[in-house]
């Protein structure tokens, strides 16, 4: 490889792993690139930006690895990348677990991801929450074994005193914040994952609760799991529990290693930790100082990659972080937001850094020394790790004599260095680490290895029908604990049924009586449509729990859809039955009562399916209500009440066909008026009296008088209910994934 101008040499330092490194997560050249639109001088153009830039390292097994850095450093993005939660094609690089290369789908099945927000059912107790998690994740083991596992986990997490306490929410008193966070952790570790990811597990907690949570996580790590978490400004007590640090800034690696080596790392940079100041906090301060200087964090990233000492900062630059802080979102034209300096004025800075090699060579043996040399003698280089992943060629040829002597004296403390300056490290292929839900097995992993990782050939722990029954049991328990939703609907229909019965009773046998009866039917249809609107916020709240639980294959979207439908079938039947019983005799309606009841029931079913589908699409309940109200108005307008279906303009007839109010409205009218019985009378233009039969009313509205068409409308309503449930399933299955695009 050709040297750069001046033939200056860069040296490549590999991040060492312990000699007794028995496993854990290893990653190389993780790069996450996004295309952003920019506007400069009135012109818009697209530019690739690296949110993660060639991050290489490892997280040892049995230890807590903490990902830290200033705001906007890319901590959560990095965690999502390791956990396989970045969409296909966006993330490049390689990840291996215990020496085996892993695909994202396999990572998701061997790991647990605890989100920053606790998404739990508020009315379930701690024990019930963990038991349902055990049912979903532990498969077909005996109930006794599941109970023992849950009881042991409750004891390990320090939840014994709150075992039978409800989780609670803003309106219901429950467990404390720290206990809720520990329950969230317990839900995701019930199956004993080999990997545990936590996104800001101490967020929103007081110092005591935060320390308690990390203490429990520390115990989990010591039991043999690989734990990786993001954390912002940990207390000194929490820092004592952290085994391994990965510090990022603007998507680049600033430091990796033991917390006790941060001071040495700063010393190699020429920065001393002031007396009484925390070394980790001081390093982050130094990172921010460079970030706001002309050099940017690229200078520190270059130091980590090559051992080249970063240029010193002036006194003004060293104090700028405390005088004039720059928000992370503030654009900087010389650094491309700090995400991909090599693409934006990076060449100029690289030349500046290269120019400092001469001064760095004066202290070559010091500046190239691994920042981990003061560790125990068990630390030694890996011959197949980071350097090979980055494409570096180990070589001792042409190395500096001092370096060769040092390596000979202590071969276990140094890495081989390349004598050439590499223009650019190889870019990993995009297929190396991409999300593919159908990629269940990785070719490099044998059957025995898969079995050792909890039978990873199976995507779900349970078969379809037991899984559906578990979800139904949980749904019934939630309804039992929160009967307000069902009782409020039932109360509304009961009160409105009484009002309808007293308002429209004894209709007159004339045109006005017929009009009043038509008004009753259309109001009934609208009432049943609106009675399901309160399902919008209920499902939107539950959707977050669904996303968390299915992100690691706790259950299928199909079983969730079926369970939700079957659970509410009896409650919908009760609502329709109560309303029908109140109005039927009071208004002396005719036709088969069972058909009247069936139309009301299927109308509720199709309406509920429509509202649930809309709730799965909208991002929040405000937009959900707006969408449901807008469609209700459209369906009401085109159902045939204001303008009968025959007279609707041809270009709007399709709205009459898709309106879910059209078919129950016509079905109720056909049940009432498919007869030759007289419902009113009138006078012809020559003043001759005539009778108005039921079939005359239907003919005037252009509604069929054939008996078979009554059942056709029921089947169409059932078809709409099925269609909306299928659409609901498709949204859950393919559009409700917790991953970055």
């Amino acid at each position: 490889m050709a040297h750069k101008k001046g033939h200056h040499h860069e040296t490549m330092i590999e991040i060492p792993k312990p000699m007794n490194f028995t496993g854990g997560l290893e990653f190389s050249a993780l790069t996450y690139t996004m295309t952003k639109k920019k506007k400069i001088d009135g012109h818009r153009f697209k530019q690739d930006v690296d949110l993660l830039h060639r991050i290489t390292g490892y997280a040892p097994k049995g230890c807590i690895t903490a990902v830290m850095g200033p705001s906007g450093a890319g901590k959560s993005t990095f965690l999502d990348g390791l956990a396989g939660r970045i969409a296909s094609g966006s993330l490049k690089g390689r990840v291996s677990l215990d020496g085996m290369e892993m695909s994202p789908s396999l990572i998701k099945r061997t790991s647990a991801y605890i989100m920053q927000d606790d998404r739990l059912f508020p009315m379930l107790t701690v024990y019930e929450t963990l038991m349902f998690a055990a049912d979903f994740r532990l498969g077909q083991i005996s109930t006794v074994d599941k109970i023992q596992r849950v009881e042991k986990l409750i004891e390990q997490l320090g939840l014994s005193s709150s075992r039978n306490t409800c989780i609670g929410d803003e309106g219901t008193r429950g467990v404390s914040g720290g206990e809720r966070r520990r329950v969230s952790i317990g839900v995701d570790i019930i199956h004993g994952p080999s990997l545990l990811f936590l996104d800001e597990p101490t967020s929103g907690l007081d110092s005591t609760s935060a320390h308690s949570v990390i203490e429990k996580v520390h115990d989990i790590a010591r039991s043999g799991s690989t734990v990786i978490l993001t954390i912002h400004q940990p207390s000194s007590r929490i820092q004592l529990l952290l085994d391994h640090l990965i510090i990022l800034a603007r998507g680049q690696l600033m430091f990796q290693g033991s917390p006790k080596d941060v001071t040495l790392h700063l010393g190699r940079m020429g920065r001393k930790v002031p007396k009484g100041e925390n070394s980790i906090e001081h390093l982050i301060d130094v990172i921010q100082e460079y970030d706001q200087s002309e050099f940017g964090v690229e200078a520190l990233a270059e130091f980590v990659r090559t051992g080249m000492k970063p240029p010193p900062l002036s006194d003004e630059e060293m104090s700028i972080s405390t005088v004039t802080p720059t928000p992370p979102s503030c654009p900087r034209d010389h650094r491309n937001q700090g995400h991909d300096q090599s693409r934006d004025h990076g060449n100029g800075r690289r030349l500046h850094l290269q120019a400092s090699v001469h001064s760095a060579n004066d202290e070559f043996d010091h500046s190239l020394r691994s920042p981990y040399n003061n560790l125990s003698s068990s630390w030694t280089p890996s011959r197949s790790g980071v350097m090979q992943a980055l494409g570096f060629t180990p070589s001792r040829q042409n190395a500096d004599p001092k370096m060769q002597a040092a390596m000979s004296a202590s071969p276990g403390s140094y890495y081989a260095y390349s004598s050439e300056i590499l223009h650019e490290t190889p870019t990993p292929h995009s297929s190396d680490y991409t999300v593919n839900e159908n990629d269940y097995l990785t070719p490099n992993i044998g059957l025995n290895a898969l079995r050792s990782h909890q039978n990873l050939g199976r995507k779900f722990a349970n078969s379809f029908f037991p899984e559906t029954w578990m979800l139904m049991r949980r749904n019934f328990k939630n309804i039992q604990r929160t009967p307000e939703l069902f009782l409020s609907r039932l109360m509304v229909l009961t009160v409105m049924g009484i009002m309808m019965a007293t308002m429209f009773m004894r209709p007159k046998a004339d045109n006005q009586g017929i009009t009043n009866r038509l008004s009753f039917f259309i109001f009934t249809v609208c009432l049943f449509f609106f009675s399901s609107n309160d399902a919008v916020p209920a499902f939107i709240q539950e959707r977050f729990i669904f996303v968390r639980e299915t992100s690691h294959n706790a259950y299928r979207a199909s079983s969730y859809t079926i369970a939700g439908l079957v659970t509410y079938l009896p409650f919908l039947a009760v609502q329709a039955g109560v309303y029908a019983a109140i109005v039927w005799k009071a208004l002396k309606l005719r036709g088969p009562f069972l058909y009247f009841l069936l139309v009301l029931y299927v109308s509720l079913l199709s309406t509920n399916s429509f509202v649930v589908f809309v709730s799965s699409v909208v991002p929040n309940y405000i937009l959900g209500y707006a969408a449901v109200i807008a469609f209700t108005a459209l369906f009401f307008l085109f159902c045939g009440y204001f303008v009968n279906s025959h007279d609707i303009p041809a270009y709007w007839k399709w709205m009459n066909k898709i309106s879910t109010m059209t078919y129950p409205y016509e079905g109720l009218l056909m049940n009432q008026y498919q007869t030759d019985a007289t419902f009113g009378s009138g006078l012809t233009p020559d003043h001759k009296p005539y009778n108005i039969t039921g079939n005359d009313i239907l003919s005037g509205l252009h509604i069929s008088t054939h008996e078979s068409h009554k059942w056709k409308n029921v089947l169409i309503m059932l078809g709409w209910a099925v269609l909306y449930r299928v659409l609901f399933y498709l949204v859950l299955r393919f559009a409700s994934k917790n991953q970055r695009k």
Side-chain angles (χ1 to χ4, degrees), residues 207-278:
S207 60
T208 301
S209 299
H211 180 264
S212 175
V213 168
I214 300 300
E215 201 171 34
K216 300 305 177 184
V217 173
H218 183 269
D219 295 337
I220 295 169
R222 290 297 184 264
S223 67
S225 295
T226 301
V227 177
I228 306 174
L229 58 85
T230 61
I231 191 166
H232 187 67
Q233 292 183 336
S235 65
S236 56
R237 291 194 302 166
I238 290 178
Q239 289 184 25
L240 294 176
L241 299 174
L242 305 180
D243 305 299
H244 189 68
L245 290 184
I246 296 176
I247 298 181
L248 306 177
R250 297 198 179 271
Q252 300 195 70
L253 184 64
M254 300 288 104
F255 172 80
Q256 180 169 215
S258 172
K260 65 182 180 180
D261 294 315
V262 173
T263 302
L264 177 61
H265 183 76
L266 285 166
R268 294 178 61 247
M269 291 168 48
R271 302 294 294 267
K272 293 184 178 180
V273 180
K275 187 176 181 180
E277 187 170 336
N278 184 279

Side-chain angles (χ1 to χ4, degrees), residues 160-175:
S160 300
S161 60
S162 56
R163 179 182 183 278
N164 297 316
T165 304
C166 289
I167 301 299
D169 56 11
E170 293 82 0
T172 306
R173 189 178 182 87
V175 298

Side-chain angles (χ1 to χ4, degrees), residues 130 133-134 137-138 149-150 153 185-193:
L130 294 176
R137 304 304 296 270
L138 296 182
R149 178 78 66 91
V150 169
L153 187 60
I185 295 173
V187 165
D188 283 316
I189 68 170
I190 188 70
H191 60 300

Side-chain angles (χ1 to χ4, degrees), residues 679-725:
F679 288 89
S681 60
L683 298 175
T684 63
D686 55 356
H687 301 287
K688 292 181 179 181
Y690 69 92
N691 293 326
I692 303 176
T693 65
N695 288 327
D696 292 334
I697 296 173
L698 294 179
S699 297
L701 296 173
H702 296 279
I703 297 175
S704 176
T705 59
H706 297 288
E707 180 75 16
S708 61
H709 283 200
K710 291 170 57 176
W711 299 103
K712 179 181 177 181
N713 277 25
V714 172
L715 292 176
I716 292 175
M717 284 189 286
L718 283 173
W720 279 115
V722 171
L723 176 62
Y724 286 132
R725 289 289 172 173

Side-chain angles (χ1 to χ4, degrees), residues 415-683:
Y415 279 87
Y417 299 95
S418 171
S419 61
E420 296 181 350
I421 300 174
L422 300 183
H423 292 280
E424 185 178 3
T425 52
T427 301
H429 194 273
S430 62
S431 64
D432 288 342
Y433 194 60
T434 55
V435 177
N436 181 1
E437 291 300 324
N438 296 321
D439 183 17
Y440 298 151
L441 300 178
T442 300
N444 293 337
I445 302 179
L447 181 61
N448 293 333
L450 286 175
R451 286 173 177 168
S452 68
H453 279 285
Q454 303 172 351
N455 194 16
L456 297 179
R458 296 185 58 184
K459 189 174 183 181
F460 298 97
N462 301 285
S463 56
F464 177 80
F465 290 105
E467 192 174 84
T468 303
W469 173 242
M470 294 172 192
L471 289 166
M472 288 174 58
R473 285 196 299 110
R474 188 173 69 174
N475 289 342
F476 278 118
K477 192 172 289 290
N478 277 314
I479 293 174
Q480 178 185 354
R481 300 278 173 80
T482 55
E484 298 85 6
L485 186 61
F486 167 70
L487 292 178
S488 62
R489 296 181 190 178
L490 186 62
M491 184 62 65
V492 167
L493 291 175
T494 301
V495 172
M496 295 307 298
I498 295 173
M499 295 180 68
M500 293 296 99
T502 55
M503 185 174 181
F504 292 101
M505 67 182 352
R506 293 187 294 272
K508 296 180 180 179
D510 56 13
N511 288 339
Q512 185 60 48
I514 296 173
T515 301
N516 291 345
R517 186 58 57 86
L518 294 178
S519 299
F520 162 75
F521 287 130
I522 190 61
F523 185 85
T524 296
V525 173
C526 289
L527 174 63
F528 273 55
F529 199 101
F530 277 109
S531 67
S532 297
N533 286 7
D534 53 2
V536 174
F539 173 74
I540 289 178
Q541 181 182 15
E542 188 173 321
R543 181 175 62 188
F544 295 107
I545 301 177
F546 167 84
V547 171
R548 179 183 64 80
E549 292 180 331
T550 57
S551 62
H552 290 281
N553 304 326
Y555 48 79
R556 300 165 179 84
S558 56
S559 59
Y560 178 84
T561 303
I562 297 298
L565 173 62
V566 175
T567 300
Y568 284 96
L569 288 179
F571 298 100
L572 298 179
V574 171
Q575 295 171 32
V578 169
Y579 183 85
I582 293 173
V583 302
W584 179 259
K585 287 190 176 180
L587 300 182
K588 296 182 179 179
L589 301 176
R590 67 163 306 279
F593 172 76
L594 290 180
Y595 181 85
F596 178 76
L597 174 62
L598 180 62
V599 169
L600 294 182
Y601 179 56
V602 179
S603 174
L604 269 179
L605 179 59
S606 61
T607 299
N608 181 267
S609 299
F610 170 76
V611 172
V612 168
F613 163 64
V614 172
S615 302
S616 68
V617 175
V618 297
N620 54 65
Y621 72 89
I622 297 176
L623 291 178
Y625 273 132
V628 170
I629 291 173
F631 278 104
T632 301
L634 289 174
F635 291 165
F636 186 29
L637 177 62
F638 291 99
C639 70
Y641 175 74
F642 297 101
V643 180
N644 67 60
S645 58
H646 182 267
D647 296 330
I648 294 176
Y651 47 83
W652 285 121
K653 282 187 179 295
W654 62 275
M655 282 295 300
N656 174 259
K657 300 300 181 182
I658 70 170
S659 171
T660 54
M661 292 187 184
T662 299
Y663 306 100
Y665 175 60
E666 292 183 354
L668 293 177
L669 291 182
M670 285 189 283
N671 192 55
Q672 178 71 19
Y673 293 121
Q674 277 184 352
T675 178
D676 289 328
T678 300
F679 288 89
S681 60
L683 298 175

